């Protein structure tokens, strides 16, 4: 690996652009490539000129000259770009954790990393206590529940709009209740947290999820409840939404940047 970590960023939407803004001052890493579909080249080049002037805008991750791939583009990008990079031996950081709700996809991702002799890291994203939950699993977990509460506008363009007018809601309304696998499948842009919690704990099918549209809140509110041999905990987080995309918490961007910096830091926590 070179003295400066050479990075390919997959995606340059709200999350990717916010990451580039935060990474400008990092001297130990360099954005060498920004990978987007061809129809996004013009807009991405404008962003690159401002935030990552040394980056090439490409439609695929370069085969050589890249030390780390960071995915911030959605679920399809993992299949198209992360899996091939892993198989070549390039480590990857994945933000779209909800993609692993698809049957067999987590195993597919793991197999690609094994084949390439490398590692794929899933970020915690908008939720905390993932380390505690994963540790508690070692001793044995009995129940894990995730409750996601967001303003009605955060659920626009999702199945929550079926049969209801989100703009007209006057009280908190449960829009989904079921397993984490179902939640991440139906609400992929809103329920990455549910997938992260389940992968750290009891798994996608045994983690209970409730999603709520609440006109009384302005923030994205995440609650995780767990109990097991370790005891129990309840975590509540009230996250500010990302200004460029209210479906995403700003903490998701910070989590991705933290994971990236931890890859190269001499001391990481």
């Amino acid at each position: 690996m070179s003295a400066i970590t050479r990075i390919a960023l997959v995606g340059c939407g709200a999350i990717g652009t916010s990451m580039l803004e935060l990474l400008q001052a990092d001297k130990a890493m360099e954005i060498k490539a920004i990978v987007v579909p061809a129809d996004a080249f013009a807009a991405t080049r404008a962003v690159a000129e401002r935030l990552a002037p040394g980056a090439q805008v490409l439609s695929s991750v370069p085969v050589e000259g890249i030390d780390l791939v960071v995915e911030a583009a959605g679920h399809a990008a993992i299949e198209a770009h992360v899996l091939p990079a892993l198989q070549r031996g390039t480590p990857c950081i994945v933000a779209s954790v909800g993609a692993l709700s698809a049957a067999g996809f987590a195993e597919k991702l793991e197999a690609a990393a094994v084949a390439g002799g490398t590692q794929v890291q899933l970020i915690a994203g908008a939720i905390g206590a993932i380390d505690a939950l994963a540790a508690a699993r070692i001793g044995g977990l009995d129940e894990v529940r995730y409750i996601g509460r967001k303003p009605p506008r955060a659920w626009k363009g999702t199945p929550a709009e079926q049969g209801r007018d989100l703009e007209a809601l006057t009280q908190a309304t449960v829009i989904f209740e079921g397993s984490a696998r179902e939640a991440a499948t139906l609400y992929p842009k809103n329920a990455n947290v549910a997938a992260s919690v389940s992968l750290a704990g009891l798994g996608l099918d045994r983690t209970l999820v409730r999603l709520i549209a609440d006109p009384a809140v302005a923030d994205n509110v995440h609650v995780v409840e767990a109990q097991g041999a370790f005891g129990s905990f309840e975590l509540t987080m009230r996250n500010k939404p990302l200004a460029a995309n209210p479906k995403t918490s700003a903490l998701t961007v910070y989590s991705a940047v933290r994971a990236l910096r931890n890859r190269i830091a001499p001391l990481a926590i």
Side-chain angles (χ1 to χ4, degrees):
M1 183 177 290
S2 62
I4 295 178
T5 301
R6 301 164 298 183
I7 296 164
L9 174 64
V10 180
C12 195
I15 293 176
T17 300
S18 296
M19 287 182 65
L20 290 175
E21 290 172 346
L22 292 171
L23 291 170
Q24 288 183 89
D26 285 82
K27 303 302 183 184
M29 62 185 81
E30 180 183 3
I31 307 297
K32 296 291 290 185
I34 303 175
V35 179
V36 294
D39 60 4
F41 275 15
T44 302
R45 286 194 180 105
V47 173
E49 288 175 5
R50 180 168 56 91
L51 302 175
Q56 289 183 289
V57 177
L58 305 169
S59 58
S60 62
V61 175
V63 174
E64 297 181 347
I66 296 297
D67 302 311
L68 180 66
V69 174
V70 182
E71 175 275 320
H75 300 180
I78 299 177
E79 186 88 44
H81 304 295
V82 172
L83 287 174
L86 289 172
Q87 289 163 350
R88 292 195 299 267
T90 305
C92 298
I93 293 173
V94 166
S96 302
V97 180
L100 277 69
S101 62
F105 199 76
E107 292 79 5
K108 190 175 182 179
L109 202 61
E110 183 177 5
V114 170
T118 189
Q119 184 185 63
V120 56
Q121 179 182 355
L122 310 178
I123 69 168
I127 195 64
I130 291 299
D131 54 346
L133 187 59
R137 180 178 61 186
I138 295 172
L141 284 166
D142 298 322
E143 183 175 307
V144 179
R145 181 185 301 274
Y146 164 67
I147 302 166
R149 185 185 300 266
K150 297 184 180 184
R153 69 188 180 96
W155 302 108
K156 283 185 174 294
T158 74
E161 290 186 304
Q162 296 175 9
R164 63 174 63 87
D165 181 358
L166 292 173
E167 295 288 348
L169 292 182
T170 58
Q171 60 185 8
T173 301
V174 176
I175 58 171
F176 173 84
E177 195 154 19
S179 72
R181 187 182 301 279
E182 295 171 303
T185 300
L186 291 172
Y187 296 87
K189 294 183 179 179
N190 283 279
N192 276 333
V193 171
S196 298
V197 168
S198 65
L199 290 167
L202 284 175
L204 289 156
D205 297 309
R206 292 181 59 199
T207 301
L208 306 174
V209 173
R210 180 182 299 145
L211 302 178
I212 300 170
D214 189 347
V217 301
D219 300 334
N220 296 338
V221 183
H222 305 286
V223 177
V224 179
E225 302 168 345
Q227 59 185 28
F230 77 100
S232 64
F233 76 74
E234 179 178 319
L235 170 77
T236 299
M237 298 185 68
R238 293 176 174 84
N239 295 344
K240 299 295 183 183
L242 192 61
N245 181 4
K247 291 182 173 64
T248 299
S249 295
L251 188 62
T252 299
V253 175
Y254 307 148
S255 177
V257 171
R258 170 183 175 269
L260 187 51
R261 288 174 174 167
N262 273 356
R263 295 285 306 193
I264 61 174
L267 178 64
I269 186 169

